[in-house]
Amino acid sequence: MVDAFYAVFQRTNFLTFVIIFLWGFYIMVTRYNLVKKLIGMYLVQTSVIFFLVSISAKKGATVPVLLSTTDPVQAANYANPLPHVLTLTAIVVGVATTGVGLALCAAIYRKYGSLDEQEVLERLE
Amino acid sequence: MILSYEIPLLLLLLVTAAGAILVKDLMSAVLLLGSYSFFLSLTWAWLGAVDVAFVEAVVGGGLGTVLFLLTLIGTAPKDTRLRRPPPSAITLIVFPLLGLLLLYAANDLPEFGDPNTPASAHISPTYLEQSYQDTHTPNVVTSVLMDYRSLDTMVETVVIFAAGIACALLLRRNA
C-alpha cells in the first residue's frame, strides 16, 4: 500500500495525467452546457497526449534532431521520436474534431436558442 | 534535472485546467484553456518534444482557442445554469473507482526518463540510427512523419478535409 503511494508520487507526470483525464471526463458526463462538455473533451485529449510524450522523455537526452550527421548516433542521447510523431497527428485531428463539435453547438444554438442540454431536450418535445 | 522545473510546470497545468473547468463565464474558461495549452507546450518542450510543443502552441492554443471564441461570440457566452443537480450515484461510484484503478497501475509503469524502458528500447533506436542514411533529414520526427509514415500523414489530411467539409455543411445559412 505504501509502495503504491510511493510509486504514484515518483511519477508526477502520471498523477497529473490521471487528475486532468478524470476531471475532464467527469465534466463531459455531468455538466449540462455543451461548450463546457467540449472543454472537458479537449482536456481528456490533451492529457492522453501528455502521457504519451512523458513516456518518450529520457533523462539527459536532447530533442530528436541529430547533432552531427557524420558520427554514429547514440540513441540514448535523443528523446524517443515515435510518440512525438503519433501525438503530432493526434493533436491536429483532436482540434479538427473539436471544431466539428463546436460547429454542431452553433447549429444547435441557431435552431433551439440554447446551449443547455436540458433546455434543448425540453424544446425537442 | 527532471524534478526541478517540472513540478511548477505541472502545478501550472493543473491550476489552469481547474480554472477552465470551474469558471462560470465561458469566455474566461476558454481563455484559461488557451493558457493551459501554452503551459502544456512549455512542458513538452521541456520534455524534449519540440515539434509537438510547436504544434500544440499553434494548433491547440491558437486555432483551438479561436474556434471556441468564434462559437461563443455566435452563441451564448454564459453558463446560464446557476444551480446544478447533484451527479447521479453511478457517476460518484465509477469515477473514484476508475481513478483508483489508474493509480494502482502506476506501480507497473517504468520510471519516466529511464532510457531503457520498453518504449525507448524496442524499435526507436533503429529509427534514430538509420533515418539519416535513409532520408537525409537531421530531424528524426520529420523523417518519420514525412517519409516512413507519409501515407499515414496523407490520410490524416483527408480526416481534416472531412472535418472542414462537416463544419461547412453544419454552418450553412439555410440548412
Side-chain angles (χ1 to χ4, degrees), chain B residues 81-104:
Chain B
R81 187 171 290 266
L82 292 177
R83 292 207 2 251
R84 281 186 293 272
S88 64
I90 193 155
T91 338
L92 288 179
I93 295 167
V94 165
F95 276 90
L97 270 182
L98 193 57
L100 274 180
L101 206 64
L102 282 170
L103 291 181
Y104 177 68

Side-chain angles (χ1 to χ4, degrees), chain A residues 1 3-27 29-36 38-40 42-93 95-111 113-119 122, chain B residues 1-3 6-7 10 13-14 17-26 29-30 33 36-37 40 43-45 47-52 55-56 59-61 63-64 67-68 71-72 74-76 78-81 84-85 87-88 91-92 95-96 98-100 102-115 117 119-121 123-125 127-129 131-133 137-142 144-145 149 152-153 156 159-160 162-164 166-167 170-175:
Chain A
M1 194 66 202
D3 271 3
F5 271 117
Y6 190 66
V8 168
F9 283 100
Q10 281 276 304
R11 298 165 177 82
T12 42
N13 291 26
F14 186 70
L15 187 64
T16 317
F17 154 70
V18 169
I19 293 173
I20 296 180
F21 176 82
L22 281 180
W23 208 356
F25 199 8
Y26 179 78
I27 292 299
V29 173
T30 55
R31 291 291 198 272
Y32 286 108
N33 191 288
L34 294 175
V35 175
K36 208 77 179 182
L38 281 175
I39 289 177
Y42 185 78
L43 288 177
V44 170
Q45 286 170 349
T46 47
S47 69
V48 175
I49 294 168
F50 172 69
F51 178 55
L52 276 173
V53 173
S54 304
I55 284 177
S56 80
K58 293 179 194 167
K59 261 201 192 73
T62 180
V63 299
V65 179
L66 302 181
L67 294 172
S68 155
T69 52
T70 46
D71 301 340
V73 177
Q74 292 295 316
N77 292 342
Y78 300 100
N80 185 353
L82 299 182
H84 300 182
V85 179
L86 290 177
T87 52
L88 274 180
T89 53
I91 290 171
V92 180
V93 170
V95 171
T97 48
T98 311
V100 174
L102 287 168
L104 268 174
C105 282
I108 287 172
Y109 186 84
R110 206 185 300 150
K111 188 145 189 190
S114 170
L115 281 180
D116 192 291
E117 196 184 46
Q118 296 282 312
E119 286 176 24
E122 277 164 24
Chain B
M1 159 246 170
I2 288 247
L3 277 185
E6 234 183 41
I7 299 289
L10 294 183
L13 271 187
L14 282 177
I21 288 170
L22 295 174
V23 167
K24 274 266 176 250
D25 185 26
L26 287 176
V30 165
L33 197 69
Y36 164 82
S37 284
L40 203 58
T43 319
W44 286 339
L47 289 174
V50 275
D51 305 75
V52 189
V55 170
E56 174 66 27
V59 177
L63 184 66
L67 288 178
F68 268 110
T71 314
L72 284 183
T75 60
K78 283 262 192 290
D79 193 351
T80 47
R81 187 171 290 266
R84 281 186 293 272
S88 64
T91 338
L92 288 179
F95 276 90
L98 193 57
L100 274 180
L102 282 170
L103 291 181
Y104 177 68
N107 219 350
D108 295 333
L109 280 176
E111 200 161 328
F112 290 127
D114 180 8
T117 57
S120 306
I123 190 79
S124 87
Y127 279 102
L128 280 167
E129 281 153 14
S131 71
Y132 192 74
Q133 278 80 36
T137 311
N139 189 338
V140 184
V141 175
T142 310
V144 176
L145 189 77
R149 293 263 154 251
D152 238 356
T153 312
E156 185 219 341
V159 173
I160 296 163
C167 283
L170 281 168
L171 295 176
R172 270 181 313 171
R173 276 290 146 201
N174 48 4

